[in-house]
């Protein structure tokens, strides 16, 4: 078969067509080393692709064609056989001597002569062409033909058995044994060769060629010659002898081909078909036959006869054209070929598609364009001049491209053609020859000393191979010869010695032996022949192979090759050029002389001249490829007008073939891959723009999957091609990504295209160099919006979309969008480190504009997903870009979407923005505008509650642990290491939960939020501190709780809130300096929350229920709608369950710490006084100090309680005078817990209270005085508890209101006696109380005044209690005591009552305040100022009353004071010590005395030592303070001092001393004042605490209102900026859409003009579409180009031009059709004519001449232009009478104005005024 078929590498890639002959290929497998078996495969052979009916006569012709095909297969099998694998029979035949052959020939001649007379020559051609079915031989002889022509005898032998392929070697051998060869001598007439599978023709050489064809013509006319005879005669003439398809098939006389064509004109169709089928087989056999056809211009002649041929003949001729054009096609033939493709009468020529298939195969050629042709005859070769020496020290390398083209398949195995021979006259030297398919290397050092080696590589005949034989010489070891075939090392041969002869190498030749033997003659083709004076390496040989056979130079300049630099460095580094020994290139030949190409220095290796000589018919053949021919015609762009014929039908009326587009694109692709010049031409002519324009105008059915594959194939090639970047850019812009082009095609086609763009196209390394980043992203977003939308736009979207087929699958739209977005993703992130920020900002700006202008959720999902993914994967490049593009406005626009699936991605992007932003960026972009609080407003615009999915995203923002996925279930619990990165989100989430509707999901979210906070704060000090540092954090946290829960879920939520408060308050108290203020703020904000809930319930409920909170104000109305809505004002502080729970949890946490301390091995005092606990101790003391007096007042007050404990008839009520609404039992519990905490934090700790008092602005010693009030109240509580526990000891009824209050007050102490410190009910004060009192007095002794005051107050308190107990024991409560004034007569006490306010035992101190308070505000609605003034007045009155008040048990009125001073008698003291007075002793029995003494001793024995100790320690102070009625010092008396100092003395004496009038007066006057001052201070502190809590609550409300107002202002500013930004984005997006549409429209106009230019070139007198017969008239018009003087001096062709007469007639016809008057003036007629004819020219265009082609071929590819719009703005074009709105765009090279045709102002213009500007 032919080399074209063998080299058809892309046959499998071509789409099959109904008219495209299918092919199969024979590929040889590499033979195995140990087996002599050749595996054969079927070879490609062109078959007819049409079908015929069974009775058609053409069937016989096809039978012959099939026989020829089988014969070709047999030939190829013989050619592919290796000499080493030849059968034994073949070897025997090779050893036959001449005598045996002559005998055999004589026998054959004799048998042939006897059979001639028996053959019937009248047999019809149809009989001879019958398909054989029997295994017999038929021999026919035409008798009549023998009579007419004795000079010619034909013997035909036809094989009847079909040939099966592949065959085994055994079958081959059997057939070879049975074959018979007929050989004729050179001097006699040709003798027929009878061979079983062959046809041999005997021809009379005496008849000339012209005589033969004349005879055949006459025989055809008169019908006297059979078809068989005609065919045999014609091919005998062609080959110059007996024709044999195996042994003799070379066309000797090319002129006979023309005669054959003339003969075929008179032949029948069947004969022509048979003739052409045989001719096709002959032509394929050898390149020499192809060259013969090329010389006679057979291509043009076939194209000339093709239009008139039938379908059968046209298929045969198309096959022949495919063979011929793949070999060579001239410029003239190319023009003829293109002319055959031109549409005629708006229809494709009949065979145009077949010709396109042929043209598609033209670039698929291998081998050199210029080569040496060796005929294979004797003495035919290249004789190399003698060499003075042959290089051996550095080795040598022989390199060339060759193609074996054997004359026949029979002698192929016998002959030994020489490749090269370099020997001396003695035969020493090197040579290489072929034996069959193998190459044998020979080295002869001397006669008989020869080394030969056969290379283990099979060289396929009729295929170009590169061979390189490198000899490495080694002086000390064995040398080696390395054989390279097609760039790969195939074998290394050890060489024992080198040929180092001193003689000249004068027997040098190439392609022939020096003797010129026929068997040594090489038959085939060779390219450039190189001999290097050194052994080349594998890299160098491989680089030589990659250069290809077309390279024919001397390796000087690397610009001679387009190989990559890695190959060039091995070729053009100077080594090859310097080592060239000889170089004979076909291009450097003159006549028969082969010029030596290298420099003169290498010529010294020759004896004389270095030039070689071609002898014996060796010639240089020059072929023309389609690439070269197209250059002369006008370049590859000349093919582009064929795309404008896609919609045209065929001449025969058949429908449009949709495969034409794919075929044309395949042709363009092949031309681009075969020639870099074609790439440059297509780039400069904007070929892909023209193709896209033509495809847009054609039907969408042409855009098939095959077309997409062709386009993708071109893209892949250009991506691999280093110089293909500019062209690939055009391909991408105009075809690959042209949604307007592809949007009407099938959905699968579009899906395949965009999937390629998103995958393979992006994977190429050259991808970043191809695209203009910003314009590409803009166009892709434009395609997403206008072409690949999921749903059509609706209001408020303002853009229009392109109509789409309703059958377009929605899933394909989604897939296409996914591919486009993947492409955009790669565009944005490519070269992230190197790309300038400006480009990326514009790309992201484009995406944000898309999001801002598209309002359909379905069209936004995937785009938002892309942005989220970009932010997640590439925050370093995305975050700054988003910040610079002010993306937050777009994100908050999305947060207002009704769809949660839009809001969640927006929150995700916002979270990623915060996660990756710097602190400064956060502050500037988010915190400065208070955007966190805006989130809750936006999310609740269209949502009624906070969903789980939204909460998950908000939580991710809170902790800045963003994930790209969406979760609709509660997330996993946070890790202990998780931190609050954006604590502002806590308030946002809490506000969202608070404003959400109550639902199960809301409760789930609320619970999850609280659990997350608890888990994150429980073990993280940093998280707790973060919350505590927030402003008014208690407000949003307490808002999550339920003040009045109604169900278990609400109770559970409230418990979690309290737990969170406990964690935070505990942290504040333990670790934060000033943490006590957090508690105060919490108390105040909780009061505000609880009060508001009360007010809300009272306002909404018509009648308050028993369970509802009490009403603070006036009476409730019957109906909420009837009463006016009250104005809410935060009331005075009052306790609630929330406060108690918060305080209880706080105290519990503190008590837990204390318990841990107590259980620790370290002493408690060390733990408490440790430096790290100072903050904790100080905060705890502050908390106790803040609430101590309030708790005391809630318990009833110290004074009423003391009065109740000491006075049997006290009328002071046990009630909270401050109206705190704290139950007395709760207050008592808090009192107990406070007192227990003071044991550690006051008495054990050594902290100085001075700083604490200064911090709270308290007077000095205030903390200890508060502690004394606490301890005194606790002591009184214990006293009352003991009395309640002792039946009959209470002076009042426990069932009374006062008694019930006392019972509630002491119930806790009674239920926990051991814990509360009550150890003995008979004692006056318990041990723990005594220790506490003593601790208070002696804690800060360095503070003298403070200690003295405390000692004085304690003395008064203890004295009162002791005297009271003494009275109770001696005189039961039922009988009045002389020490009590509560039962005095009215006469006695009336004046006293008017003088002292406490004449009724201080009753007014408790009740008057409450009563006055209620009287001042009966409706509870007085303003704060009035309340404050009233409180101040009340406090002043109380202070005055307290100053004059006293405890009833020691109270002394002025009338009772003895001015003479105390007069103690020793007898009375002795009587008191002995048990009482004599009268009393006489009145009572002894047992009673003992009983009373024991009771007194038991009750007072523990208290008296404390009093004595204080009296002794503060003696100096007390002596000066406790003065008598006359100012005397009552403590200086000796007896008094003895009584006070005698610790072992009787307590009765001490009590009697205290009961004396002088002591009572002094204690009442001096110590009583101190105690009253202590009590009044507590009362003031309680009021101050209440006022402070209210003030803090109001301050919190003020802060919250201020924050809300600030949020409103900043949000309004942000909303205004966002609205302006969104408007600007809409305008930018509309402008971009307009620019893109205008650009497409401008491209369409440019393409139309370029297409017109190409058509003009084709139709020009020298163009391909201009026939010599037609006299086409070319019209010209003045071009818009101007010179420097603005003169228009250049003409361009006018494709719409006509002659003036024709134009005038045409105008008149139109006017008549329109009914217009023909009387128009000439000027108006010309104006309208120019308007209809003159096309608009967006830019000047020129013709392409030859100089431009040369310039394009030589110039370097320019870099891709940067055509991105640098500036664009809305503008209006002003012209006389016109005002055109549009967009002005300025790029680096151009300035565009695109009219906005949708603008109403544009539609108002008179378009008739626009035509003069068409050429602007």
């Amino acid at each position: 078969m032919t080399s074209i078929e063998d080299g058809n590498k892309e046959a499998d890639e071509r789409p099959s067509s109904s008219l495209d002959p299918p092919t199969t290929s024979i590929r040889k497998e590499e033979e195995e080393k140990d087996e002599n078996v050749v595996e054969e495969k079927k070879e490609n052979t062109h078959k007819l692709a049409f079908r015929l009916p069974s009775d058609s006569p053409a069937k016989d012709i096809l039978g012959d064609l099939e026989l020829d095909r089988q014969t070709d297969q047999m030939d190829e099998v013989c050619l592919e056989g290796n000499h080493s694998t030849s059968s034994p029979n073949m070897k025997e035949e090779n050893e036959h001597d001449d005598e045996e052959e002559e005998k055999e020939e004589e026998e054959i001649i004799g048998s042939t002569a006897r059979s001639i007379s028996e053959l019937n020559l009248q047999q019809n051609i149809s009989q001879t062409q019958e398909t054989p079915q029997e295994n017999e031989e038929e021999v026919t002889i035409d008798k009549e033909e023998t009579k007419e022509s004795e000079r010619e005898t034909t013997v035909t032998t036809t094989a009847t058995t079909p040939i099966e392929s592949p065959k085994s070697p055994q079958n081959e051998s059997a057939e070879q044994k049975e074959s018979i060869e007929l050989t004729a001598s050179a001097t006699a007439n040709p003798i027929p060769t009878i061979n079983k599978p062959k046809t041999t023709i005997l021809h009379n050489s005496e008849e000339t060629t012209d005589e033969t064809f004349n005879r055949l013509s006459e025989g055809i006319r008169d019908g006297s010659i059979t078809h068989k005879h005609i065919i045999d005669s014609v091919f005998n003439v062609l080959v110059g002898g007996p024709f044999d398809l195996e042994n003799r098939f070379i066309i000797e006389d090319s002129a006979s081909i023309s005669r054959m064509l003339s003969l075929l004109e008179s032949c029948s169709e069947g004969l022509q078909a048979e003739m052409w089928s045989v001719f096709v087989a002959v032509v394929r056999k050898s390149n020499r036959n192809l060259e013969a056809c090329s010389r006679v211009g057979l291509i043009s002649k076939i194209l000339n006869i093709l239009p008139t041929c039938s379908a059968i003949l046209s298929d045969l001729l198309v096959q022949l054209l495919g063979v011929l054009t793949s070999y060579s096609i001239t410029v003239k033939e190319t023009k003829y070929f293109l002319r055959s493709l031109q549409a005629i009468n708006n229809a494709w020529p009949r065979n145009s598609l077949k010709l396109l298939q042929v043209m598609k195969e033209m670039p698929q050629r291998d081998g050199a364009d210029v080569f040496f042709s060796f005929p294979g005859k004797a003495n035919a070769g290249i004789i190399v001049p003698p060499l003075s020496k042959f290089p051996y020290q550095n080795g040598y390398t022989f390199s060339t491209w060759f193609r074996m083209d054997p004359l026949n398949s029979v002698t192929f195995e016998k002959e030994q053609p020489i490749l090269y021979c370099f020997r001396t006259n003695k035969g020493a030297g090197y040579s290489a020859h072929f034996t069959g398919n193998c190459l044998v290397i020979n080295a002869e050092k001397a006669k008989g000393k020869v080394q030969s080696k056969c290379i283990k590589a099979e060289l396929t005949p009729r295929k170009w191979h590169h061979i390189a034989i490198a000899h490495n010489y080694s002086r000390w070891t064995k040398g080696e010869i390395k054989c390279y075939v097609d760039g790969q090392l195939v074998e290394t041969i050890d060489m024992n010695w080198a040929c180092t002869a001193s003689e000249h190498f004068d027997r040098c030749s190439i392609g022939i032996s020096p003797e010129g033997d026929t068997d040594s003659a090489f038959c085939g083709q060779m390219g450039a022949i190189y001999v290097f004076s050194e052994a080349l390496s594998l890299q160098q040989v491989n680089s030589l192979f990659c250069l290809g056979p077309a390279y024919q130079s001397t390796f000087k300049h690397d610009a001679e090759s387009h190989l990559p630099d890695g190959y060039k460095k091995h070729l053009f580094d100077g080594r090859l050029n310097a080592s060239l020994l000889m170089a004979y290139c076909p291009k450097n030949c003159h006549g028969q002389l082969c010029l030596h190409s290298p420099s003169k220095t290498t010529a010294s290796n020759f004896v004389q001249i270095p030039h070689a000589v071609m002898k014996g018919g060796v010639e240089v053949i020059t072929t023309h490829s389609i690439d070269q021919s197209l250059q002369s015609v006008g370049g590859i762009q000349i093919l582009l007008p064929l795309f404008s014929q896609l919609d045209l039908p065929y001449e025969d009326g058949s429908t449009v073939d949709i495969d034409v587009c794919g075929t044309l694109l395949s042709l363009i692709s092949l031309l681009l891959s075969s020639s870099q010049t074609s790439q440059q031409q297509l780039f400069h002519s904007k070929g892909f723009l023209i193709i896209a324009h033509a495809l847009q105008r054609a039907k969408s059915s042409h855009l098939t999957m095959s077309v997409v594959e062709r386009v993708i194939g071109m893209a892949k090639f250009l991506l691999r091609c280093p110089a293909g970047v500019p062209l690939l850019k055009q391909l991408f812009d105009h075809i690959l990504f042209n949604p307007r082009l592809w949007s009407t095609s099938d959905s699968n086609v579009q899906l395949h295209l965009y999937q390629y763009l998103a995958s393979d196209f992006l994977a190429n390394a050259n991808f970043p160099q191809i695209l203009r980043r910003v314009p590409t992203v803009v166009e892709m977003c434009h395609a997403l919006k206008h072409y690949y939308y999921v749903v059509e736009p609706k209001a408020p979207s303002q853009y229009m979309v392109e109509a789409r087929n309703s059958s377009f699958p929605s899933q394909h739209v989604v897939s296409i969008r996914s591919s486009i977005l993947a492409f955009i993703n790669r565009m944005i992130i490519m070269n992230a480190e190197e790309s300038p920020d400006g480009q990326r900002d514009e790309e992201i700006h484009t995406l944000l504009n898309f999001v801002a202008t598209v309002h359909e959720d379905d069209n936004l999902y995937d785009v938002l997903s892309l942005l989220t993914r970009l932010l997640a994967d590439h925050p370093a490049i995305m975050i700054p870009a988003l910040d610079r593009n002010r993306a937050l406005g777009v994100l908050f626009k999305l947060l207002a979407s009704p769809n949660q699936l839009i809001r969640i991605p927006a929150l995700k992007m916002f979270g990623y923005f915060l996660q990756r932003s710097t602190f400064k960026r956060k502050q500037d972009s988010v915190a400065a505008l208070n955007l966190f609080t805006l989130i809750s407003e936006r999310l609740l615009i269209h949502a009624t509650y906070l969903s789980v999915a939204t909460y998950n995203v908000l939580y991710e923002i809170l902790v800045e642990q963003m994930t790209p996925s969406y979760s609709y279930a509660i997330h996993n619990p946070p890790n202990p290491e998780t931190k609050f990165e954006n604590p502002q989100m806590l308030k946002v989430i809490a506000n969202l939960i608070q404003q959400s509707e109550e639902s199960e999901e809301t409760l789930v979210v609320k619970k999850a939020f609280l659990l997350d906070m608890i888990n994150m704060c429980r073990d993280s000090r940093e998280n707790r501190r973060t919350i505590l540092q927030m402003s008014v954090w208690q407000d949003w946290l307490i808002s999550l709780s339920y003040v009045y829960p109604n169900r278990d879920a609400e109770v559970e939520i409230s418990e979690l809130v309290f737990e969170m408060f406990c964690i935070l308050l505990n942290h504040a108290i333990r670790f934060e300096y000033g943490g006590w203020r957090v508690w105060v703020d919490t108390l105040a904000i909780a009061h505000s929350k609880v009060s508001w809930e009360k007010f809300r319930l009272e306002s909404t409920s018509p009648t308050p229920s028993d369970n509802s909170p009490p009403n603070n104000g006036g009476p409730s109305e019957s109906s909420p709608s009837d009463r006016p809505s009250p104005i809410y004002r935060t009331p005075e502080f009052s306790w609630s369950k929330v406060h108690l729970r918060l305080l209880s949890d706080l105290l519990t946490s503190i008590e837990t710490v204390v318990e841990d301390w107590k259980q620790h091995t370290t002493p408690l005092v060390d733990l408490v006084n440790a430096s790290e606990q100072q903050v904790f101790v100080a905060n705890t003391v502050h908390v106790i100090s803040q609430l101590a007096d309030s708790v005391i007042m809630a318990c009833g007050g110290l004074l009423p309680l003391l009065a109740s404990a000491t006075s049997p008839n006290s009328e002071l009520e046990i009630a909270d005078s401050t109206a705190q609404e704290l139950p007395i039992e709760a207050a008592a519990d808090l009192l107990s817990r406070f007192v227990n905490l003071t044991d550690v934090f006051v008495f054990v700790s050594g902290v100085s209270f001075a700083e604490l008092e200064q911090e709270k602005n308290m007077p000095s010693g205030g903390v200890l005085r508060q502690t004394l009030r606490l301890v005194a109240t606790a002591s009184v509580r214990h006293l009352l508890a003991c009395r309640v526990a002792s039946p009959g000891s209470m002076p009042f009824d426990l069932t009374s209101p006062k008694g019930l209050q006392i019972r509630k007050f002491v119930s806790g102490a009674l239920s926990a006696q051991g814990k509360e410190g009550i150890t003995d009910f008979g004692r006056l004060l318990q041990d723990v109380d005594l220790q506490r009192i003593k601790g208070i007095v002696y804690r800060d002794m360095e503070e003298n005044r403070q200690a003295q005051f405390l000692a004085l107050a304690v003395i008064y308190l203890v004295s009162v209690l002791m005297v009271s107990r003494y009275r109770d024991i001696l005189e039961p409560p039922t009988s009045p005591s002389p020490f009590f004034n509560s039962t005095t007569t009215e006469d006695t006490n009336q004046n006293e009552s008017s003088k002292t306010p406490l004449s009724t035992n201080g009753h007014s101190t408790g009740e008057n305040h409450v009563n006055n308070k209620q009287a001042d505000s009966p409706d509870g609605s007085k303003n704060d100022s009035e309340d404050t003034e009233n409180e101040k007045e009340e406090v002043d009155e109380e202070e005055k009353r307290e100053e004059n008040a006293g405890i009833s048990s020691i109270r002394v009125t002025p009338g009772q004071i003895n001015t003479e001073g105390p007069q103690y008698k020793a007898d009375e003291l002795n009587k008191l010590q002995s048990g009482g007075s004599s009268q009393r002793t006489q009145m009572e029995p002894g047992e009673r005395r003992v009983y009373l003494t024991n009771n007194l001793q038991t009750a007072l024995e523990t208290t008296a030592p404390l009093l004595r100790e204080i009296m002794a320690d503060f003696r100096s102070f007390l002596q000066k303070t406790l003065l008598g009625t006359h100012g005397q010092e009552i403590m200086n008396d000796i007896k008094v001092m003895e009584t006070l100092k005698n610790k072992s003395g009787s307590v009765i004496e001490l009590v009697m001393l205290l009961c004396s009038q002088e002591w009572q007066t002094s204690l009442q006057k001096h110590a009583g004042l101190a105690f009253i001052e202590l009590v009044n201070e507590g009362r003031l502190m309680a009021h101050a605490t209440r006022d402070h809590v209210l003030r803090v609550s109001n301050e919190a409300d003020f802060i919250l209102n201020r924050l809300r107002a600030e949020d409103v202002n900043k949000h309004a500013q942000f909303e205004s900026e966002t609205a302006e930004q969104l408007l600007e984005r809409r305008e930018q997006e509309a402008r971009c859409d307009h620019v893109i549409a205008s650009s497409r429209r401008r491209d369409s106009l440019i393409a139309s003009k370029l297409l017109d230019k190409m058509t003009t070139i084709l139709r020009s007198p020298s163009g391909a579409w201009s026939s010599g017969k037609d006299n086409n008239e070319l019209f010209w018009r003045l071009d818009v180009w101007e010179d420097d003087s603005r003169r228009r001096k250049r003409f361009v062709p006018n494709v719409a031009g006509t002659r003036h007469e024709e134009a005038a007639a045409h105008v008149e016809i139109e006017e008549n059709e329109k009914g217009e008057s023909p009387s128009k003036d000439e000027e108006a007629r010309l104006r309208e004519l120019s308007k209809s004819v003159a096309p608009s020219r967006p830019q000047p265009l020129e013709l392409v001449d030859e100089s431009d082609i040369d310039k394009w071929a030589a110039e370097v590819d320019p870099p891709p232009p940067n055509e991105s719009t640098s500036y664009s703005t809305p503008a209006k074009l002003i012209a006389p009478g016109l005002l055109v709105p549009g967009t002005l765009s300025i790029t680096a090279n151009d300035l565009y104005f695109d009219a906005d045709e949708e603008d109403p102002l544009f539609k108002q213009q008179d378009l008739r005024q626009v035509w003069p500007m068409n050429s602007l």
Side-chain angles (χ1 to χ4, degrees), residues 62-72 158-159 161 163 197 199:
L62 296 181
D64 284 348
L65 294 179
E66 181 64 20
L67 179 61
D68 293 340
R69 184 188 65 80
Q70 295 173 352
T71 304
D72 292 342
T158 306
T161 302
I163 300 175
T199 299

Side-chain angles (χ1 to χ4, degrees), residues 241-260:
F243 168 72
D244 192 311
L245 197 56
E246 291 183 2
N247 297 331
R248 192 162 187 172
F249 47 81
I250 302 299
I251 298 176
E252 299 293 343
D253 186 9
S254 59
S256 299
I257 299 176
S258 301
R259 298 185 183 96
M260 182 189 71

Side-chain angles (χ1 to χ4, degrees), residues 420 431-432 439-443 451-453 455 469 481 483 493:
Y420 65 86
S431 65
L439 179 66
V440 179
I441 306 298
N442 303 309
Q451 184 175 357
S452 299
K453 181 66 176 178
I455 299 176
I469 301 173
I481 295 179
C483 300
I493 304 170

Side-chain angles (χ1 to χ4, degrees), residues 1423-1440:
N1423 56 33
D1424 294 341
S1425 60
E1426 294 177 355
D1427 293 342
T1428 304
E1429 294 177 359
N1430 294 335
E1431 289 175 1
K1432 291 181 179 179
E1433 293 176 359
E1434 293 171 2
V1435 170
D1436 295 338
E1437 294 176 358
E1438 290 177 358
E1439 289 178 354
K1440 294 178 181 178

Side-chain angles (χ1 to χ4, degrees), residues 374-387:
F374 294 82
K377 299 179 180 179
N379 298 319
I382 298 177
I383 306 302
V384 180
L387 296 169

Side-chain angles (χ1 to χ4, degrees), residues 104-122:
E104 187 177 356
E105 290 174 0
E106 290 176 357
E107 292 177 0
I108 295 174
I109 293 173
S111 61
T112 303
R114 288 191 298 269
S115 63
I116 288 177
S117 60
E118 299 175 359
L119 295 177
N120 185 9
L121 299 179
Q122 298 293 334

Side-chain angles (χ1 to χ4, degrees), residues 1243-1257:
F1243 302 130
V1244 177
S1245 69
V1247 64
S1248 175
F1249 294 143
E1251 297 179 359
L1252 305 184
E1253 294 162 352
Q1254 185 178 2
E1255 188 177 352
K1256 290 182 63 175
N1257 294 326

